[in-house]
Amino acid sequence: MEKHTTSGSAFTSGEWKDAQWQKKSAAQYKVYARMLQKGDKNQILKRLPDLHETAFTVIDCLNCAACCKNYSPRFKTPDIKRISKHLNMKESRFIDTYLRIDEDGDYVVKQTPCPFLGNDNRCGIYAVRPSDCERFPYTNEDVLVNRARITLKNSSFCPAVFFVLEKLLEVKENV
């Protein structure tokens, strides 16, 4: 999750163009799915870096942190090694203290919100956070189009994913 600060984000109140963005995202689910499956992937990928940057000029992750409050990243072996070293813990103790194995066989946090999330929505291990956290919400990479199921799930709780999908639709509708 990228941490940008912008005051007065429209997403803080849940509003986007006079509508609740989460309700609009749910209503647009099939439209997003069709665009991700049938859209010109090369054109979408070309636009992602700019849309990603624009999203984070209007969205402040510190006002939201829904990803950290409700979901867990995968903790891969390099993540576990790096974070446990940072915390001066043995890897086995780090795993026993904070992680469990999910239904996909991945290490994830035992409970939500993430134990490293502070009351101010800041990450206590931000400098060494898991690679999934560093890359989230994947709005500047091919995961957005190549893993549509994840993108659609993310659009239900992450305003940045919603924003990027809406902007992609706007261009498609204006062509």
Side-chain angles (χ1 to χ4, degrees):
M1 176 172 71
E2 292 201 10
K3 308 286 185 179
H4 294 269
T5 56
T6 305
S7 60
S9 170
F11 292 96
T12 303
S13 66
E15 295 292 326
W16 171 249
K17 294 186 178 180
D18 300 320
Q20 291 291 317
W21 73 265
Q22 289 170 310
K23 288 180 183 174
K24 182 168 185 187
S25 178
Q28 293 280 76
Y29 185 92
K30 288 182 181 178
V31 175
Y32 296 155
R34 190 169 32 258
M35 175 183 61
L36 293 171
Q37 291 172 340
K38 299 188 188 263
D40 183 335
K41 289 187 181 190
N42 289 328
Q43 287 298 320
I44 292 172
L45 291 172
K46 276 186 201 174
R47 300 210 51 238
L48 290 184
D50 288 339
L51 292 175
H52 174 84
E53 289 302 315
T54 302
F56 289 103
T57 64
V58 295
I59 297 164
D60 181 357
C61 291
L62 295 176
N63 286 331
C64 178
C67 50
C68 305
K69 291 175 182 174
N70 300 295
Y71 301 96
S72 176
R74 294 169 297 171
F75 284 73
K76 299 174 189 168
T77 301
D79 299 324
I80 293 169
K81 289 180 182 297
R82 183 178 61 257
I83 297 165
S84 61
K85 181 179 179 182
H86 175 78
L87 297 174
N88 294 317
M89 296 176 84
K90 288 185 176 187
E91 291 172 30
S92 58
R93 185 167 157 248
F94 174 77
I95 291 168
D96 290 344
T97 303
Y98 295 108
L99 306 179
R100 67 177 177 82
I101 297 177
D102 72 3
E103 58 280 352
D104 296 324
D106 295 318
Y107 279 111
V108 296
V109 291
K110 284 183 178 178
Q111 79 279 334
T112 53
C114 177
F116 305 109
L117 181 67
N119 291 335
D120 60 356
N121 285 344
R122 292 185 185 276
C123 177
I125 59 168
Y126 189 76
V128 295
R129 67 197 183 277
S131 61
D132 275 2
C133 296
E134 187 174 359
R135 294 171 55 212
F136 192 83
Y138 314 109
T139 49
N140 62 345
E141 58 183 86
D142 66 356
V143 169
L144 188 107
V145 290
N146 291 335
R147 300 196 62 200
R149 196 176 104 241
I150 288 174
T151 299
L152 294 168
K153 176 184 173 186
N154 292 346
S155 73
S156 72
F157 68 87
C158 178
V161 178
F162 167 78
F163 180 92
V164 168
L165 291 176
E166 282 295 304
K167 291 297 183 183
L168 286 169
L169 281 179
E170 283 176 14
V171 169
K172 187 178 175 207
E173 291 168 358
N174 292 329
V175 172

